[in-house]
CSV table of all heavy atoms in Angstrom, one decimal:
chain,number,residue,atom,x,y,z
A,1,GLN,N,15.6,-25.6,27.4
A,1,GLN,CA,16.0,-25.7,26.1
A,1,GLN,C,14.8,-25.8,25.1
A,1,GLN,O,14.9,-25.2,24.0
A,1,GLN,CB,16.8,-27.0,25.9
A,1,GLN,CG,18.2,-27.0,26.6
A,1,GLN,CD,19.0,-28.3,26.5
A,1,GLN,OE1,18.4,-29.2,26.1
A,1,GLN,NE2,20.2,-28.2,27.0
A,2,ALA,N,13.7,-26.4,25.5
A,2,ALA,CA,12.5,-26.4,24.6
A,2,ALA,C,12.0,-25.0,24.4
A,2,ALA,O,11.6,-24.7,23.3
A,2,ALA,CB,11.5,-27.3,25.1
A,3,GLU,N,12.1,-24.2,25.5
A,3,GLU,CA,11.6,-22.7,25.3
A,3,GLU,C,12.5,-22.0,24.3
A,3,GLU,O,12.0,-21.2,23.5
A,3,GLU,CB,11.7,-22.1,26.6
A,3,GLU,CG,10.6,-22.5,27.6
A,3,GLU,CD,10.8,-22.0,29.0
A,3,GLU,OE1,12.0,-21.5,29.4
A,3,GLU,OE2,9.7,-22.0,29.8
A,4,TRP,N,13.8,-22.3,24.4
A,4,TRP,CA,14.8,-21.6,23.4
A,4,TRP,C,14.5,-22.1,22.0
A,4,TRP,O,14.5,-21.2,21.1
A,4,TRP,CB,16.2,-21.9,23.8
A,4,TRP,CG,16.7,-21.3,25.0
A,4,TRP,CD1,16.2,-20.3,25.8
A,4,TRP,CD2,17.8,-21.6,25.8
A,4,TRP,NE1,16.8,-20.0,26.9
A,4,TRP,CE2,18.0,-20.8,26.9
A,4,TRP,CE3,18.9,-22.7,25.7
A,4,TRP,CZ2,18.9,-20.8,27.9
A,4,TRP,CZ3,19.9,-22.7,26.6
A,4,TRP,CH2,19.9,-21.9,27.6
A,5,VAL,N,14.2,-23.3,21.8
A,5,VAL,CA,14.0,-23.9,20.4
A,5,VAL,C,12.7,-23.3,19.9
A,5,VAL,O,12.6,-22.9,18.8
A,5,VAL,CB,14.0,-25.4,20.6
A,5,VAL,CG1,13.5,-26.0,19.2
A,5,VAL,CG2,15.4,-25.9,20.8
A,6,LEU,N,11.7,-23.2,20.8
A,6,LEU,CA,10.4,-22.6,20.3
A,6,LEU,C,10.6,-21.2,20.0
A,6,LEU,O,10.1,-20.7,19.0
A,6,LEU,CB,9.3,-22.9,21.5
A,6,LEU,CG,8.0,-22.1,21.2
A,6,LEU,CD1,7.3,-22.7,19.9
A,6,LEU,CD2,7.2,-22.2,22.3
A,7,SER,N,11.4,-20.4,20.8
A,7,SER,CA,11.6,-19.1,20.6
A,7,SER,C,12.3,-18.9,19.2
A,7,SER,O,11.9,-17.9,18.4
A,7,SER,CB,12.5,-18.4,21.6
A,7,SER,OG,12.7,-17.1,21.4
A,8,GLU,N,13.2,-19.7,18.9
A,8,GLU,CA,14.0,-19.7,17.6
A,8,GLU,C,13.0,-19.9,16.5
A,8,GLU,O,13.1,-19.3,15.4
A,8,GLU,CB,15.1,-20.6,17.6
A,8,GLU,CG,16.0,-20.6,16.4
A,8,GLU,CD,17.1,-21.6,16.5
A,8,GLU,OE1,17.7,-21.6,17.5
A,8,GLU,OE2,17.4,-22.2,15.5
A,9,ALA,N,12.1,-20.9,16.6
A,9,ALA,CA,11.2,-21.3,15.5
A,9,ALA,C,10.2,-20.1,15.4
A,9,ALA,O,9.8,-19.9,14.2
A,9,ALA,CB,10.4,-22.5,16.0
A,10,ILE,N,9.7,-19.5,16.5
A,10,ILE,CA,8.9,-18.3,16.3
A,10,ILE,C,9.6,-17.2,15.5
A,10,ILE,O,9.0,-16.6,14.6
A,10,ILE,CB,8.3,-17.9,17.6
A,10,ILE,CG1,7.4,-18.9,18.2
A,10,ILE,CG2,7.7,-16.5,17.5
A,10,ILE,CD1,6.9,-18.7,19.6
A,11,GLY,N,10.8,-16.9,15.9
A,11,GLY,CA,11.6,-16.0,15.1
A,11,GLY,C,11.7,-16.3,13.6
A,11,GLY,O,11.5,-15.4,12.7
A,12,VAL,N,11.9,-17.6,13.3
A,12,VAL,CA,11.9,-17.9,11.8
A,12,VAL,C,10.6,-17.7,11.2
A,12,VAL,O,10.4,-17.1,10.1
A,12,VAL,CB,12.3,-19.5,11.8
A,12,VAL,CG1,12.2,-19.9,10.3
A,12,VAL,CG2,13.8,-19.6,12.1
A,13,MET,N,9.6,-18.1,11.9
A,13,MET,CA,8.2,-17.8,11.3
A,13,MET,C,7.9,-16.3,11.2
A,13,MET,O,7.3,-16.0,10.2
A,13,MET,CB,7.1,-18.4,12.3
A,13,MET,CG,5.8,-18.4,11.8
A,13,MET,SD,4.5,-19.0,13.0
A,13,MET,CE,4.4,-17.7,14.1
A,14,ARG,N,8.3,-15.5,12.1
A,14,ARG,CA,8.0,-14.1,11.9
A,14,ARG,C,8.9,-13.5,10.8
A,14,ARG,O,8.5,-12.6,10.1
A,14,ARG,CB,8.5,-13.4,13.2
A,14,ARG,CG,7.5,-13.8,14.4
A,14,ARG,CD,6.8,-12.6,15.0
A,14,ARG,NE,5.8,-13.1,15.8
A,14,ARG,CZ,5.9,-13.2,17.2
A,14,ARG,NH1,7.0,-13.0,17.7
A,14,ARG,NH2,4.9,-13.6,17.9
A,15,ARG,N,10.1,-14.0,10.5
A,15,ARG,CA,10.8,-13.6,9.4
A,15,ARG,C,10.3,-14.0,8.1
A,15,ARG,O,10.2,-13.2,7.1
A,15,ARG,CB,12.3,-14.1,9.4
A,15,ARG,CG,13.2,-13.4,10.5
A,15,ARG,CD,14.7,-13.7,10.4
A,15,ARG,NE,14.9,-15.1,10.7
A,15,ARG,CZ,15.1,-15.6,11.9
A,15,ARG,NH1,15.0,-14.9,13.0
A,15,ARG,NH2,15.4,-16.9,12.1
A,16,GLU,N,9.7,-15.2,8.0
A,16,GLU,CA,8.9,-15.7,6.9
A,16,GLU,C,7.7,-14.7,6.6
A,16,GLU,O,7.5,-14.4,5.5
A,16,GLU,CB,8.5,-17.1,7.0
A,16,GLU,CG,9.7,-18.1,7.1
A,16,GLU,CD,10.5,-18.2,5.9
A,16,GLU,OE1,10.1,-17.7,4.8
A,16,GLU,OE2,11.5,-18.9,5.9
A,17,GLU,N,7.0,-14.4,7.7
A,17,GLU,CA,5.8,-13.6,7.6
A,17,GLU,C,6.2,-12.2,7.0
A,17,GLU,O,5.5,-11.6,6.1
A,17,GLU,CB,5.2,-13.4,8.9
A,17,GLU,CG,4.4,-14.5,9.4
A,17,GLU,CD,3.8,-14.5,10.8
A,17,GLU,OE1,4.3,-13.6,11.5
A,17,GLU,OE2,2.9,-15.2,11.1
A,18,THR,N,7.3,-11.7,7.6
A,18,THR,CA,7.8,-10.3,7.1
A,18,THR,C,8.2,-10.4,5.7
A,18,THR,O,7.8,-9.4,4.9
A,18,THR,CB,9.0,-9.9,8.0
A,18,THR,OG1,8.6,-9.8,9.3
A,18,THR,CG2,9.5,-8.5,7.5
A,19,THR,N,8.9,-11.4,5.3
A,19,THR,CA,9.3,-11.6,3.8
A,19,THR,C,8.1,-11.7,2.9
A,19,THR,O,8.1,-11.0,1.8
A,19,THR,CB,10.2,-12.8,3.6
A,19,THR,OG1,11.3,-12.6,4.5
A,19,THR,CG2,10.8,-12.8,2.2
A,20,LEU,N,7.1,-12.5,3.4
A,20,LEU,CA,5.9,-12.6,2.5
A,20,LEU,C,5.2,-11.3,2.4
A,20,LEU,O,4.7,-10.9,1.3
A,20,LEU,CB,4.9,-13.7,3.2
A,20,LEU,CG,3.6,-13.9,2.5
A,20,LEU,CD1,3.9,-14.5,1.1
A,20,LEU,CD2,2.8,-14.9,3.3
A,21,THR,N,5.2,-10.6,3.5
A,21,THR,CA,4.4,-9.3,3.5
A,21,THR,C,5.2,-8.3,2.5
A,21,THR,O,4.5,-7.6,1.7
A,21,THR,CB,4.4,-8.6,4.9
A,21,THR,OG1,3.7,-9.5,5.7
A,21,THR,CG2,3.7,-7.3,4.8
A,22,GLU,N,6.5,-8.3,2.5
A,22,GLU,CA,7.3,-7.5,1.6
A,22,GLU,C,7.1,-7.9,0.2
A,22,GLU,O,7.0,-7.0,-0.8
A,22,GLU,CB,8.8,-7.6,2.0
A,22,GLU,CG,9.1,-6.9,3.2
A,22,GLU,CD,10.5,-7.2,3.7
A,22,GLU,OE1,11.2,-8.0,3.1
A,22,GLU,OE2,10.9,-6.6,4.8
A,23,LEU,N,7.0,-9.2,-0.1
A,23,LEU,CA,6.8,-9.7,-1.4
A,23,LEU,C,5.4,-9.3,-2.0
A,23,LEU,O,5.2,-8.8,-3.2
A,23,LEU,CB,6.9,-11.2,-1.5
A,23,LEU,CG,8.4,-11.7,-1.5
A,23,LEU,CD1,8.4,-13.2,-1.3
A,23,LEU,CD2,9.1,-11.4,-2.8
A,24,GLN,N,4.3,-9.4,-1.1
A,24,GLN,CA,3.0,-9.0,-1.5
A,24,GLN,C,3.0,-7.5,-1.8
A,24,GLN,O,2.3,-7.0,-2.8
A,24,GLN,CB,2.0,-9.4,-0.3
A,24,GLN,CG,1.8,-10.9,-0.3
A,24,GLN,CD,1.0,-11.3,0.9
A,24,GLN,OE1,0.9,-10.6,2.0
A,24,GLN,NE2,0.4,-12.5,0.9
A,25,GLN,N,3.7,-6.7,-1.0
A,25,GLN,CA,3.7,-5.2,-1.2
A,25,GLN,C,4.4,-5.0,-2.6
A,25,GLN,O,4.0,-4.1,-3.3
A,25,GLN,CB,4.4,-4.5,-0.1
A,25,GLN,CG,4.4,-3.0,-0.2
A,25,GLN,CD,3.0,-2.4,-0.2
A,25,GLN,OE1,2.2,-2.8,0.5
A,25,GLN,NE2,2.8,-1.5,-1.1
A,26,SER,N,5.5,-5.7,-2.8
A,26,SER,CA,6.2,-5.5,-4.0
A,26,SER,C,5.3,-5.9,-5.2
A,26,SER,O,5.4,-5.1,-6.2
A,26,SER,CB,7.5,-6.3,-4.0
A,26,SER,OG,8.2,-6.3,-5.2
A,27,LYS,N,4.6,-6.9,-5.1
A,27,LYS,CA,3.7,-7.4,-6.2
A,27,LYS,C,2.6,-6.3,-6.4
A,27,LYS,O,2.3,-5.9,-7.6
A,27,LYS,CB,3.0,-8.6,-5.9
A,27,LYS,CG,2.0,-9.2,-6.9
A,27,LYS,CD,1.3,-10.4,-6.5
A,27,LYS,CE,0.2,-10.7,-7.4
A,27,LYS,NZ,-0.7,-11.7,-6.9
A,28,TYR,N,2.1,-5.8,-5.3
A,28,TYR,CA,1.1,-4.8,-5.4
A,28,TYR,C,1.7,-3.6,-6.1
A,28,TYR,O,1.0,-2.9,-7.0
A,28,TYR,CB,0.4,-4.3,-4.0
A,28,TYR,CG,-0.5,-3.2,-4.1
A,28,TYR,CD1,-1.8,-3.5,-4.4
A,28,TYR,CD2,0.0,-2.0,-3.6
A,28,TYR,CE1,-2.6,-2.4,-4.5
A,28,TYR,CE2,-0.9,-0.9,-3.7
A,28,TYR,CZ,-2.3,-1.1,-4.1
A,28,TYR,OH,-3.1,-0.1,-4.1
A,29,ASP,N,2.8,-3.1,-5.7
A,29,ASP,CA,3.5,-2.0,-6.3
A,29,ASP,C,3.7,-2.2,-7.9
A,29,ASP,O,3.6,-1.2,-8.7
A,29,ASP,CB,4.8,-1.7,-5.6
A,29,ASP,CG,4.7,-1.2,-4.2
A,29,ASP,OD1,3.5,-0.8,-3.8
A,29,ASP,OD2,5.6,-1.2,-3.4
A,30,MET,N,4.2,-3.4,-8.2
A,30,MET,CA,4.5,-3.7,-9.6
A,30,MET,C,3.2,-3.7,-10.4
A,30,MET,O,3.1,-3.3,-11.6
A,30,MET,CB,5.2,-5.0,-9.7
A,30,MET,CG,6.7,-5.0,-9.4
A,30,MET,SD,7.6,-3.6,-10.1
A,30,MET,CE,7.4,-4.1,-11.9
């Protein structure tokens, strides 16, 4: 269960990283 919870937390972190990268790209484009 702890492995599953960690995996889920890593997924959330990766989504946050992806969104941040997209925002930075959008800022650069603007």
Side-chain angles (χ1 to χ4, degrees):
Q1 288 176 352
E3 288 172 342
W4 290 342
V5 170
L6 175 62
S7 176
E8 184 177 318
I10 289 172
V12 168
M13 184 184 73
R14 294 240 167 92
R15 285 191 295 277
E16 296 291 353
E17 288 173 340
T18 301
T19 305
L20 178 61
T21 302
E22 290 170 355
L23 284 171
Q24 289 171 334
Q25 183 61 44
S26 179
K27 177 185 171 189
Y28 176 78
D29 293 344
M30 285 308 299

